[in-house]
Amino acid sequence: MICLIYDAGKFKKLKYFCRIKVSTINVHGFVISTKKVTLAAWILILSASVFFSSCSTKKNTLVRRTYHNITSHYNVYWNGMDNMRQGLKEYQAGLKDNYAVVLPVYNYGDKAGTSKISQFADIAIKKASKAINKHSMVFNRKEYVRWIDDSYMLIGKSYFYKQDYPMARRTFEFVIKTYNDNEIKYEAMLWQARSNIQIGDFNRAEPMLDMLQSKISKGDAPLKYETDLNLAYAQFFILQKNYDGAIPYLNRAMELDPTSAMRTRCSFILGQIHQRNGELNEASRLYAYVIKHAKSYEMEFNSKINLAQCYDAQSGDREFIVKKLTKMLKDDKNKDYQDQIYYALAHIAMKDADSVMAIDYYKKSVSTSTTNNYQKAISSLELADIFFEVRDYTVAQAYYDSTMQFLPKDYVGYKELAIRTATLTDLVKNLQVIQRQDSLQKLASMPEAQRIKVIDGIIAKLIADEYKKQLEEQQLRESQMLLGPGMGQGQDQLQGGSKEGRWYFYNPTAMSNGFSNFMRKWGRRKLEDNWFLTDKTVANFSNEVLPSDTLTGSESDTIQGGKKGVPKAKNPKERAFYLPDIPLTKEMVQASNDMIIEAYYQAGFIFVEGLGDFGNGTETFETLLERFPDNKYKIQSAYKLCQLYAQLQNQPKSDQYKNQILTLYPESDYAKLLVNPNYYKEINARQSEASKLYNDTYKAFSN
C-alpha cells in the first residue's frame, strides 16, 4: 500500500492546470469520459510530485526515510550483494587445494587468479557506492538508512576478495569507527582481522581477534560471530605454520555447528595435523569421517590416500591397504591421481624398510605426475633425499634439480634445498669433466680401427634409439586413431579422415589423451633435433659396438693428426661430431689433464666444505695426488688431507701429510702454519701494525 500526502492549496493549482474542456475523447472506437482523464492526470502528477520530493536526502521525514531504505536495499544494495555472491560462487568453484600440505581454513586463491572475481567485485563496489551517495541520510551524526553500513561492509568484502587487502582494511576500520554503536562493528572487526591475516600482518590481527573474543565472552558481541572467530584463529595459526596452535580452535568451531562443508574441511585439516604429529589413530578416525561426508571427489580421494599413509607397520593391515591402493590405480577416474597413489605406496614401503620398492614407487610417481607439479616436486625430493643419504650424488642432483623446477618458493626449507642443489650441480659438473676427459683419453689411446669402431657404435646406437622412439610414437598415434570398438571402424576413420569428429586430429578427446601420454612419457621437450636425448653431447664409450664402414681418407687423416682446427659438426650421427675433442696430440693430452686436475681439486673442496663428506673428500684429494703427483695443487691437497685425517681422528695419516709438507716445502706458509697455528694471526697483526704506522705517518706529514 502506498500513502500519498499532499498540500490542499497545491492540489487546487494542480486541478486548475489539469482541466480539460472536451466532454469526451474517442480512442480507437472507445469513448473515454473527460472526468476520468482528468482524474488520471491528477494521480500521475501527484505521484510524480511525491516521488521527486522523496528522493531528496536533505529533510528527515517518514516518507523520505521509507523511500531511501526501500530503494537502497532492493534497488541497489541487493543487486550488488547478489552479483558478488554469484561471482564468489563461480570463483570458488575453480579454486584448487594443495592437499600435499596442511590446508588453510579458507582458500582465497592467489593474486594472479583474481581477475575473474574482480569483475563481480567492481560491480558490487559500484552498487554499494551508489547506495551510499544517493541514499545516505545523516542527521545529528546518526544514519537513518539502515543499509548504508551494510554497503560499506560490501565494499570492504569486495576489496578483500579482490585481494586488495590494504583497501579492505581501511574500509573495515572506517566501519568500526563510524558505527561504534552498531552491532555491525563486530563483523567489521572480524573481517579486518582476516585482512591482516591474509596480508601476513599477524601482529595486528591477533589483538583484534582477542578483542572480539573478549566482547563475545562478556556478552557485548553476539554469539553468532563465535564460529567465524574460531575459524579465523585457526587460519591465523595455520598460515604461520603453527599447526598445533590451530587444533583447539578447529575443535571449538566444529562444536559450534558450522556448515556441513566447513565441518568436513576442518576434519580434514585436523587429520593432517594429527598425521604430522604421528597421532595416526586420531588422524585415521578423522579421515574416515571425511570420506563419508566429502562434497568433492578430490577431498574424498586425498582422505583415502592419507588414510593409507597412516598405516602402521605393527598393525598388520599392510596387505589390505596395498591391495586397496592397487585397486585404485586401476580405476579410470583415478587416472589423474596415479602419482599420489604411487607416492602413498612408496610411503608404505619406506615404513616397511623396503627402500628398493620405495624407490620404484617414487619413480613411478614422478613419471605419472603430468598435471600436479607439486606432487612431482615432492616425489622427486623424496628420491633425491634417498640417493643423497647413500651418497649417490649424481642421481641425487638430477632429482633435486627436478624438484627445484616445480617446488614453490614458499616451501619450508626452500633456501636450504636451493643451496644443496647448487652445490651438487657444481660437484656433478666437475665429476662429469673427469669422466668425459678420461673417456676421451681412453678413446685416443686406442688403435685407429678400434677408435673408428667405437665412434660408429655410438652413432649406430643413437640411430637405433631414435628409430625405436619414433616407432613407439607411431604406434601410439595409430592406437589413438583407431577410436572405434572394432578394426573395421578404425579403418573407416583412417580412410574417411575428412569426416568431422572421426579423424584423430578432429577428435579433441584423442588429442588430449595423446598429449597426456606424451607428457607422461617424455615431459616437456624443446622442439629440435634429437629432442628425446637429455644430453646430446655425452657419449658412452663402450667396447660393445656395432660393425660399420671404414672412415674416408680425409677423416682418417683428421683422427691421426688430432688437429685443433677441425670444424665441430652439429649432428651427433656424424663421425665429425666426435673427432675434434679426442686428445691425439701432447698438447691436447696436457690440456685434458689440466682439466682433470682442476676438476679433482674443486670436487674435493665441494665434498668437504659443501657437503661435509670427509670420506669422499679424502679419497678425491688422494686420487689427485696419486694420478698427478706433481700437479699445481700438490701442497694445498696435502695440507687439506692433513686437516681431514686429523678431524677423522686418524693421526698417523695426518702426520704423514704433515711431515711431507715440512720436508718438501719447509719455507711455505703451509709449513709455517703447521708449526705455528697462530701464524696467520701474527701476520694479520703485523699488517695491522704496519697500516697503523702508515696512517700515523701520513697524518703527521699532512699536519
Side-chain angles (χ1 to χ4, degrees), residues 73-171:
H73 183 200
Y74 294 105
N75 194 37
V76 187
Y77 171 80
W78 189 88
N79 289 333
M81 175 60 76
D82 186 64
N83 183 82
M84 188 63 204
R85 190 183 297 114
Q86 177 187 350
L88 190 58
K89 183 178 180 181
E90 293 181 12
Y91 176 67
Q92 290 178 334
L95 292 177
K96 296 293 183 182
D97 282 308
N98 183 3
Y99 289 93
V101 299
V102 176
L103 295 184
V105 177
Y106 302 102
N107 181 7
Y108 300 116
D110 54 18
K111 181 69 174 177
T114 58
S115 58
K116 184 175 182 180
I117 196 174
S118 293
Q119 301 172 3
F120 295 93
D122 289 338
I123 294 175
I125 293 171
K126 183 178 179 181
K127 293 287 185 182
S129 300
K130 183 178 179 181
I132 295 168
N133 293 331
K134 291 192 174 183
H135 300 289
S136 177
M137 295 180 65
V138 180
F139 298 99
N140 296 325
R141 297 183 179 179
K142 181 180 179 181
E143 178 62 67
Y144 283 87
V145 178
R146 57 172 301 208
W147 300 103
I148 300 303
D149 53 353
D150 294 285
S151 297
Y152 279 116
M153 284 299 297
L154 178 57
I155 292 173
K157 292 175 184 178
S158 299
Y159 280 122
F160 180 90
Y161 287 118
K162 287 178 63 175
Q163 297 194 18
D164 188 350
Y165 297 120
M167 280 297 296
R169 289 197 304 181
R170 285 195 286 270
T171 306

Side-chain angles (χ1 to χ4, degrees), residues 600-614:
Y600 267 122
Y601 185 70
Q602 296 299 332
F605 270 97
I606 293 172
F607 277 127
V608 176
E609 306 296 339
L611 302 175
D613 186 349
F614 293 171

Side-chain angles (χ1 to χ4, degrees), residues 301-313:
F301 171 82
N302 281 277
S303 297
K304 292 179 180 178
I305 291 295
N306 290 356
L307 183 60
Q309 291 181 1
C310 290
Y311 150 76
D312 185 0

Side-chain angles (χ1 to χ4, degrees), residues 98-257:
N98 183 3
Y99 289 93
V101 299
V102 176
L103 295 184
V105 177
Y106 302 102
N107 181 7
Y108 300 116
D110 54 18
K111 181 69 174 177
T114 58
S115 58
K116 184 175 182 180
I117 196 174
S118 293
Q119 301 172 3
F120 295 93
D122 289 338
I123 294 175
I125 293 171
K126 183 178 179 181
K127 293 287 185 182
S129 300
K130 183 178 179 181
I132 295 168
N133 293 331
K134 291 192 174 183
H135 300 289
S136 177
M137 295 180 65
V138 180
F139 298 99
N140 296 325
R141 297 183 179 179
K142 181 180 179 181
E143 178 62 67
Y144 283 87
V145 178
R146 57 172 301 208
W147 300 103
I148 300 303
D149 53 353
D150 294 285
S151 297
Y152 279 116
M153 284 299 297
L154 178 57
I155 292 173
K157 292 175 184 178
S158 299
Y159 280 122
F160 180 90
Y161 287 118
K162 287 178 63 175
Q163 297 194 18
D164 188 350
Y165 297 120
M167 280 297 296
R169 289 197 304 181
R170 285 195 286 270
T171 306
F172 296 132
E173 185 177 359
F174 172 82
V175 174
I176 295 170
K177 292 180 179 179
T178 306
Y179 300 97
N180 191 44
D181 298 330
N182 192 323
E183 180 184 301
I184 203 170
K185 74 174 182 181
Y186 301 116
E187 184 182 3
M189 291 169 65
L190 178 64
W191 279 90
Q192 188 180 34
R194 284 178 173 175
S195 301
N196 287 322
I197 291 170
Q198 293 305 125
I199 209 172
D201 193 350
F202 301 110
N203 291 330
R204 290 188 181 182
E206 189 172 18
M208 188 63 70
L209 293 173
D210 292 342
M211 185 185 300
L212 184 55
Q213 178 68 66
S214 176
K215 294 289 185 182
I216 293 175
S217 301
K218 294 178 181 178
D220 296 335
L223 289 174
K224 66 180 181 181
Y225 295 119
E226 188 175 4
T227 302
D228 288 335
L229 174 63
N230 280 279
L231 293 175
Y233 265 120
Q235 182 88 336
F236 171 83
F237 286 108
I238 288 174
L239 293 191
Q240 296 181 81
K241 295 181 172 51
N242 180 4
Y243 303 118
D244 290 340
I247 292 177
Y249 295 102
L250 289 168
N251 286 324
R252 177 57 181 161
M254 293 175 65
E255 293 174 2
L256 295 170
D257 195 24

